[in-house]
Amino acid sequence: MSMEYFSGLTETAEIANSFGMLTESMRITFAAVMIMATISIAIFMLGMYINLKKWGLGSEGYSLKPSNGSIFTFPKALAYQMSAKGHGHGQNIFVTLILDALLQRRALRRSPGRWLMHIAIFGGWIALCIMSVAMFAVEIIYMVGIHLISPEVFREMLSFPNDVFSYILLFGIIIAIFRRLFIAKARESTIAFDSVLLVGLTIIVITGFIADGVRNGNFWGFGMQSDLAPPAALFHVVISLFFCIAYIPFSKYMHMIAGPLTLLANKGGE
């Protein structure tokens, strides 16, 4: 079974190319996305392995010698720090996860404007990621013969929240760009990692809007023909998979993982 993915072009869609025919090349198959997703996840896992090896070179305690670089050293040290015996501020783990990691209250205390930027980008990105995983799960379940809900129906259900969180993410990106253009302190502290992150996120959001616009004929389609929907969707899917999954361990994205882990190790606090 070959199921179209993200493009919205199902086997019954009455969308034709310039010659009046719906060709196989116009479709984005589930198998193609699966291959790209597998490659992206493999690169992500390799990057995490490299990071764990690097973190495993640290000392497991004050004044102790560096460890041997095992990938199990860091999880072991983190588990100890989170236990009752570990050092830190002693804050409840759920309070740390919700208030410090998820709601980022420490950033709010320092700068409400910067917090708004971070929460919009983080919240928008996480929500879109969760919805993509949910869509993927529905596709898988449907393909194995469990027809709880049609992928097309589920895709339509996600359409509105997908738009909402896409605009939230775009709002955060606009704030980040504004800060780096017009606020001297933010501009002076900007490094290549920041620029690559912003450019990548901007491309992903804009191409997502364009792919949806071409498919549905709304404003973001800029009047382009519907037969351009599959390549537009394919470009968006490819860059999203590799930039938002494969690139994470090698970029500033890594702070989304390292930051909460550090907070957990310190048991909250400043």
Side-chain angles (χ1 to χ4, degrees):
M1 178 180 180
S2 177
M3 183 171 292
E4 290 70 30
Y5 196 68
F6 284 123
S7 67
L9 298 178
T10 66
E11 293 177 354
T12 59
E14 296 179 358
I15 299 176
N17 62 13
S18 57
F19 296 100
M21 299 173 61
L22 181 61
T23 64
E24 198 64 35
S25 62
M26 290 175 61
R27 297 192 176 112
I28 301 174
T29 65
F30 181 79
V33 176
M34 276 287 290
I35 293 172
M36 291 185 289
T38 300
I39 295 173
S40 299
I41 293 172
I43 297 174
F44 171 83
M45 295 301 294
L46 174 62
M48 288 304 300
Y49 172 79
I50 294 172
N51 278 305
L52 284 173
K53 289 281 289 183
K54 179 175 62 180
W55 296 343
L57 292 171
S59 171
E60 294 185 62
Y62 180 74
S63 76
L64 298 179
K65 293 182 179 180
S67 302
N68 58 7
S70 168
I71 62 171
F72 300 108
T73 299
F74 175 76
K76 178 182 175 183
L78 178 63
Y80 175 80
Q81 274 296 105
M82 291 172 60
S83 70
K85 298 178 181 178
H87 303 289
H89 295 272
Q91 183 173 269
N92 182 276
I93 184 174
F94 295 107
V95 172
T96 300
L97 282 174
I98 295 173
L99 296 183
D100 292 331
L102 187 61
L103 298 180
Q104 303 178 29
R105 65 175 176 179
R106 301 196 311 162
L108 178 60
R109 291 169 182 165
R110 293 190 178 97
S111 171
R114 188 178 179 186
W115 172 83
L116 182 61
M117 173 193 72
H118 276 110
I119 206 70
I121 292 177
F122 177 76
W125 190 92
I126 291 296
L128 291 171
C129 180
I130 291 173
M131 286 189 285
S132 295
V133 172
M135 185 71 242
F136 171 80
V138 169
E139 296 269 16
I140 285 286
I141 292 172
Y142 192 87
M143 288 185 71
V144 299
I146 304 175
H147 297 172
L148 296 177
I149 185 172
S150 166
E152 288 77 16
V153 172
F154 190 68
R155 186 183 291 114
E156 286 303 313
M157 289 172 57
L158 293 181
S159 179
F160 179 71
N162 185 79
D163 284 345
V164 170
F165 285 105
S166 293
Y167 279 111
I168 289 175
L169 177 56
L170 180 61
F171 176 67
I173 293 170
I174 291 172
I175 296 177
I177 294 174
F178 178 87
R179 282 173 49 82
R180 281 159 177 78
L181 288 178
F182 301 106
I183 299 179
K185 186 176 180 180
R187 184 171 62 248
E188 292 167 0
S189 62
T190 299
I191 60 177
F193 272 132
D194 299 313
S195 300
V196 170
L197 188 64
L198 277 177
V199 170
L201 284 175
T202 302
I203 292 174
I204 288 171
V205 173
I206 297 301
T207 56
F209 279 129
I210 291 175
D212 182 70
V214 175
R215 183 177 72 231
N216 296 313
N218 62 32
F219 164 79
W220 283 99
F222 300 110
M224 288 186 280
Q225 295 182 354
S226 58
D227 59 358
L228 293 176
L234 179 61
F235 179 80
H236 173 70
V237 170
V238 170
I239 194 171
S240 297
L241 284 172
F242 286 99
F243 191 82
C244 291
I245 296 179
Y247 185 54
I248 286 178
F250 309 97
S251 70
K252 195 174 180 179
Y253 268 135
M254 192 60 196
H255 79 276
M256 292 193 303
I257 298 175
L261 290 177
T262 301
L263 289 169
L264 288 173
N266 290 330
K267 299 179 181 178
E270 297 292 328

